[in-house]
Amino acid sequence: MNSFAAYVQHFKTKITQAGLQLGAEKPVPYGRRIDVVRESETVPVTLYEGKKGFSTVVAGKSGGLRETVEHLIHGTPPTVTGSDKPYGFENVDGFEAGWIGTDESGKGDVFGPLVIAAVAVNPESVRELTAIGVKDCKQLSDKKVSELAMKIRQVCKGRFQELALFPSRYNSLYAAMKIEGKNLNHLMAWAHARVIEDTLETAPCRYAIADKFADVRFIESRLMARGRAIVLIQKTHAEQNIAVAAASVLARDAFLRGLDGLSQKYAVDFPKGAGTPVNAAIQKFVATHGKAALAEVGKIHFKTFEGVL
């Protein structure tokens, strides 16, 4: 860097490009202090100008944000031991080489597909996903989801799977499950097991983690040879694990793209969720395409369709 000002600006750019925020900033003797912020966490960083050049010192409590900042500045890898173990692996050893996380999107949406995604991570991709600000998709705007999904697919190229069950197939599978006395949780378990199996084919590992949405045996019973050779952890709030968070972003992005594709195909603006706008969309769709075609765009077992079908 030719000047200290350029050194400071380079630091700021690196922080913001990683999806972090810049907080309070003030001059200090021989340098400048800048707070780096992520949600409720704050890490103070001091940039110095000395006779031997420029330097940066990261302070604050140890933890996820501090390690992320240190990695961005110094290339220091995040630790995966003790209290800093990834969520879900606090009492587990042997996961350090990598693991798979799965999550779904569209489960509670009347229109659009149900999407289940899996992402396999390793130490390198954990650092990169952390640096770009990957988190549970529910904490992100749709625009941010789209931006992060593109980056995740680059970082984890060849190590992720996305299974989109569009309404026509979803309704068929759901009907078949119902005949067997099963429900939506059984369908989701089958889909989670499938993306785990497919991901293991290109990214073998010992562990996988998924959000616990039903009896743990649901997914386990649907795993095949590769899947039964791993340890599957099912835990509530699993999106706190970086692999599950990444899977949640991919699933949400695929759901949003799928819903948009249906809207364009049928010239009807299909809303997300299951609120009041859904009823208006149903009426508009039926007036143009008829009741029978609803199975092509919506999950017809939802009570929303009872008065229509």
Side-chain angles (χ1 to χ4, degrees), residues 55-67:
S55 62
T56 304
V57 176
V58 183
K61 295 181 180 180
S62 61
L65 179 56
R66 178 172 175 174
E67 290 186 358

Side-chain angles (χ1 to χ4, degrees), residues 167-225:
S168 56
R169 188 181 182 201
Y170 173 96
N171 291 322
S172 176
L173 288 170
Y174 184 89
M177 292 279 183
K178 190 174 182 180
I179 291 174
E180 297 176 7
K182 299 175 182 176
N183 57 31
L184 177 57
N185 285 335
H186 293 88
L187 173 55
M188 286 178 53
W190 167 81
H192 276 266
R194 176 168 171 179
V195 293
I196 289 173
E197 290 282 350
D198 290 345
T199 306
L200 284 170
E201 189 170 347
T202 58
C205 62
R206 291 179 57 191
Y207 288 93
I209 178 170
D211 193 54
K212 184 179 178 182
F213 56 84
D215 190 314
V216 296
R217 292 171 296 181
F218 280 21
I219 298 180
E220 292 174 348
S221 65
R222 283 157 182 78
L223 291 170
M224 302 178 72

Side-chain angles (χ1 to χ4, degrees), residues 31-298:
R32 196 159 196 82
R33 171 178 158 163
I34 302 172
D35 287 346
V36 178
V37 180
R38 182 172 65 189
E39 297 178 0
S40 60
E41 293 181 277
T42 299
V43 168
V45 180
T46 305
L47 293 80
Y48 291 102
E49 180 180 19
K51 293 181 180 179
K52 296 183 179 181
F54 309 133
S55 62
T56 304
V57 176
V58 183
K61 295 181 180 180
S62 61
L65 179 56
R66 178 172 175 174
E67 290 186 358
T68 298
V69 174
E70 288 179 336
H71 170 60
L72 287 171
I73 298 170
H74 306 300
T76 306
T79 60
V80 288
T81 59
S83 61
D84 290 322
K85 284 185 175 181
Y87 183 82
F89 294 110
E90 294 86 353
N91 302 310
V92 174
D93 293 312
F95 65 86
E96 290 83 0
W99 66 92
I100 293 170
T102 69
D103 203 14
E104 75 282 334
S105 184
K107 175 184 175 182
D109 294 88
V110 172
F111 294 112
L114 170 66
V115 182
I116 298 85
V119 176
V121 299
N122 54 31
E124 180 180 358
S125 60
V126 166
R127 290 192 291 270
E128 294 185 62
L129 294 174
T130 302
I132 63 177
V134 170
K135 63 179 73 174
D136 178 13
C137 69
K138 291 187 287 293
Q139 301 177 36
L140 303 168
S141 66
D142 290 349
K143 180 181 178 181
K144 189 63 176 178
V145 164
S146 177
E147 293 172 356
L148 277 179
M150 190 161 50
K151 294 178 181 178
I152 292 169
R153 294 185 185 104
Q154 294 172 347
V155 171
C156 301
K157 186 176 181 179
R159 299 172 61 85
F160 68 87
Q161 292 289 329
E162 299 170 19
L163 174 60
L165 300 176
F166 279 83
S168 56
R169 188 181 182 201
Y170 173 96
N171 291 322
S172 176
L173 288 170
Y174 184 89
M177 292 279 183
K178 190 174 182 180
I179 291 174
E180 297 176 7
K182 299 175 182 176
N183 57 31
L184 177 57
N185 285 335
H186 293 88
L187 173 55
M188 286 178 53
W190 167 81
H192 276 266
R194 176 168 171 179
V195 293
I196 289 173
E197 290 282 350
D198 290 345
T199 306
L200 284 170
E201 189 170 347
T202 58
C205 62
R206 291 179 57 191
Y207 288 93
I209 178 170
D211 193 54
K212 184 179 178 182
F213 56 84
D215 190 314
V216 296
R217 292 171 296 181
F218 280 21
I219 298 180
E220 292 174 348
S221 65
R222 283 157 182 78
L223 291 170
M224 302 178 72
R226 280 190 295 266
R228 290 174 182 170
I230 69 170
V231 176
L232 173 61
I233 295 171
Q234 298 178 67
K235 191 169 182 177
T236 55
H237 308 302
E239 297 88 353
Q240 295 179 53
N241 184 289
I242 191 69
V244 179
S248 79
V249 173
L250 292 191
R252 183 63 176 173
D253 179 60
F255 165 77
L256 292 171
R257 288 187 289 109
L259 186 66
D260 184 62
L262 290 174
S263 294
Q264 293 185 36
K265 179 178 179 180
Y266 291 96
V268 175
D269 184 15
F270 294 119
K272 293 172 286 186
T276 303
V278 167
N279 295 321
I282 290 175
Q283 293 175 8
K284 181 177 180 180
F285 181 86
V286 170
T288 306
H289 303 283
K291 294 181 181 180
L294 282 171
E296 300 294 319
V297 297

